[in-house]
Amino acid sequence: MGKGAKRPSRARMRGQLLDEAARATLPSAVDVCVCGGGAAGLVAAISAAEAGASTAVLERDFSCGRSILATGGGRCNLTRLDLDARAYNDPAFIDAVCGPLFSTDVLGFFDACGLATSFESEGDTRIYPLSDRASSVREVLLGRARRAGVILACAREVGGIGGDSVLFRELFSDGEHSLRAKAIVLAGRDGFVPAGLDAVPFSPLLCPVACEGLPFDELDGRRVHARVTLLRDGKTVLDEYGEVLFRSYGLSGIVIFNLSRFARRGDTVELDLAPGLDDSSFAKLVSSAGNAAGIVDPVIVDVLGDEKHVSCTVSGLAQTEHAQVRRGGLVTGQFDPATLMVRDRPGLFAAGEVIDIDGPCGGYNLSWAWRSGQIAGTAAAAYAKAGA
Ligand SMILES: Cc1cc2nc3c(=O)[nH]c(=O)nc-3n(C[C@H](O)[C@H](O)[C@H](O)COP(=O)(O)OP(=O)(O)OC[C@H]3O[C@@H](n4cnc5c(N)ncnc54)[C@H](O)[C@@H]3O)c2cc1C
């Protein structure tokens, strides 16, 4: 955009995107129809098209891949070098689907897209685009999809499957339509799940945790590097180190997001506010200084006193509307792990969060989206071509 040029308003941009979406023409039939053009759906479509299948994506939003833009605080933590199946809610399924080359396969895919990547910092295994922009990830995916001949049909909301057709509504005309497909890949995350499949109800995860038992109002906005232990009936459920953000309703921060995958109402959260010091060194420093303000944020010391260990009780999850992932979705046991096809619905595949898989923060969830998209897309193309 030239100097002095006015940025188009949001409404105008939406209007332009809607016009663009309306111009995308769909044939009456394709080999592979991908329902949902987010992280998993774009990779599934690229994989299917590159395997020789005519492929269309039906996406509810005005453009594809917009879900990627908000990831990693706008920087997109797209994967990590040390992906470990045990970090997910269903390690055996992740092992069976993704195998030992999980990270290598994901990185190989993005290398072939022309994306330069780098580690978060030296010694860190989390991987980001070198540009530090999530939009780079989206752009390389959209570019590769277009080069492979994928039809990106946006502003089309999938509402059902009837026989060998996907039923959808055009958001620009409100018209109901159908698209015949030899294979269908479900990649709509919280979107459409066909009747007759086993699914666990969706519930939000990776979000702040509401707590009671500390003066949270007075602590709102303060940050501390702490050791965080989640306890249930005296037993440790999770023990992690990281930055904790006090909020008026409880606790937030990446380490707390991870804790939200396990926390239940009534659990205890213990915080060690000076994890780098043992108890006696902490006591010595407090006695030399007269208080703990030389060790812990003085505002926190003002509110909580000279305490190294504090605890509170979980009362629920908070700000769930902004949760990063959802638990629930299609039950893993009904899929063939080699293809991600529903065993008793030949031709129906799925990828990404629409399957009941979730992992902690740090690149685990997108890695699953990318890799499951690759597997389902490639297998859907093979299925469509075998039946041709
Ligand atoms: C704020 C935020 C930050 C995150 N940061 C990270 C991170 O840094 N690293 C990481 O690993 N994970 C991160 N995640 C999680 C990650 O974004 C998801 O796990 C991942 O996007 C899931 O991929 P998906 O394709 O299954 O779903 P999505 O990427 O959400 O794509 C689903 C697509 O389907 C479309 N859709 C839904 N219903 C329909 C329908 N009925 N018809 C047509 N289209 C439909 C949606 O519009 C969407 O485009 C983050 C999540 C959030 C919310």
Side-chain angles (χ1 to χ4, degrees):
M1 187 180 302
K3 222 178 166 186
K6 260 197 170 170
R7 192 177 279 277
S9 72
R10 199 170 275 245
R12 193 154 161 214
M13 273 169 65
R14 279 191 142 216
Q16 280 170 0
L17 286 170
L18 209 54
D19 287 349
E20 218 172 281
R23 281 197 299 273
T25 48
L26 277 165
S28 56
V30 289
D31 290 332
V32 176
C33 174
V34 179
C35 307
L42 280 175
V43 175
I46 290 167
S47 305
E50 288 181 354
S54 60
T55 304
V57 173
L58 298 178
E59 164 57 48
R60 178 175 61 188
D61 208 336
F62 299 109
S63 58
C64 286
R66 281 185 7 113
S67 54
I68 298 165
L69 296 176
T71 59
R75 293 173 56 224
C76 185
N77 175 196
L78 70 148
T79 187
R80 59 189 300 130
L81 206 54
D82 54 352
L83 287 170
D84 184 342
R86 287 170 299 181
Y88 292 88
N89 63 326
D90 191 341
F93 187 68
I94 290 287
D95 250 344
V97 176
C98 303
L101 298 179
F102 193 178
S103 322
T104 313
D105 289 332
V106 170
L107 283 170
F109 179 86
F110 279 103
D111 204 30
C113 285
L115 183 79
T117 54
S118 69
F119 290 110
E120 167 69 341
S121 56
E122 212 181 303
D124 198 315
T125 56
R126 287 173 297 167
I127 294 172
Y128 289 78
L130 188 63
S131 68
D132 247 356
R133 310 295 301 180
S135 50
S136 290
V137 178
R138 179 186 186 228
E139 284 305 317
V140 296
L141 289 172
L142 292 176
R144 187 165 166 183
R146 289 192 190 106
R147 285 193 300 280
V150 174
I151 302 166
L152 298 173
C154 300
R156 278 130 173 130
E157 183 172 38
V158 174
I161 293 177
D164 62 353
S165 293
V166 178
L167 314 174
F168 65 95
R169 187 168 66 89
E170 285 178 351
L171 302 184
F172 42 88
S173 69
D174 216 24
E176 305 278 348
H177 298 270
S178 65
L179 174 65
R180 269 189 297 120
K182 291 176 187 157
I184 296 166
V185 182
L186 302 172
R189 188 155 112 123
D190 53 341
F192 155 75
V193 170
L197 299 186
D198 287 341
V200 177
F202 287 111
S203 60
L205 289 180
L206 298 189
C207 57
V209 173
C211 299
E212 290 161 355
L214 288 174
F216 287 106
D217 267 347
E218 294 171 62
L219 292 164
D220 192 22
R222 307 316 296 186
R223 292 172 189 273
V224 64
H225 282 275
R227 175 163 216 112
V228 181
T229 311
L230 180 72
L231 295 153
R232 186 171 307 139
D233 304 325
K235 289 199 186 102
T236 300
V237 179
L238 189 78
D239 189 31
E240 274 197 25
Y241 171 84
E243 190 183 63
V244 173
L245 170 63
F246 287 100
R247 301 314 316 260
S248 58
Y249 52 76
L251 302 169
S252 185
I254 299 289
V255 66
I256 300 298
F257 282 21
N258 286 341
L259 185 139
S260 74
R261 295 180 65 221
F262 306 97
R264 289 191 209 151
R265 172 184 274 273
D267 287 351
T268 301
V269 180
E270 279 185 2
L271 300 175
D272 178 346
L273 302 175
L277 291 174
D278 59 36
D279 288 2
S280 71
S281 309
F282 181 87
K284 258 191 216 152
L285 288 171
V286 170
S287 107
S288 310
N291 60 38
I295 314 166
V296 177
D297 175 349
V299 174
I300 296 179
V301 173
D302 253 3
V303 178
L304 298 178
D306 299 326
E307 302 291 345
K308 177 168 157 62
H309 302 278
V310 293
S311 63
C312 52
T313 306
V314 173
S315 55
L317 299 183
Q319 300 207 318
T320 49
E321 66 281 15
H322 300 304
Q324 292 200 358
V325 297
R326 284 154 195 261
R327 176 156 293 161
L330 297 168
V331 172
T332 55
Q334 65 201 319
F335 290 93
D336 170 2
T339 59
L340 291 177
M341 185 168 82
V342 180
R343 282 205 179 88
D344 58 6
R345 293 280 287 273
L348 185 61
F349 299 77
E353 264 190 51
V354 73
I355 303 178
D356 184 16
I357 288 292
D358 65 85
C361 293
Y364 288 97
N365 291 297
L366 279 172
S367 296
W368 164 248
W370 315 130
R371 188 65 191 126
S372 59
Q374 261 184 305
I375 290 169
T378 308
Y383 180 90
K385 282 161 63 187

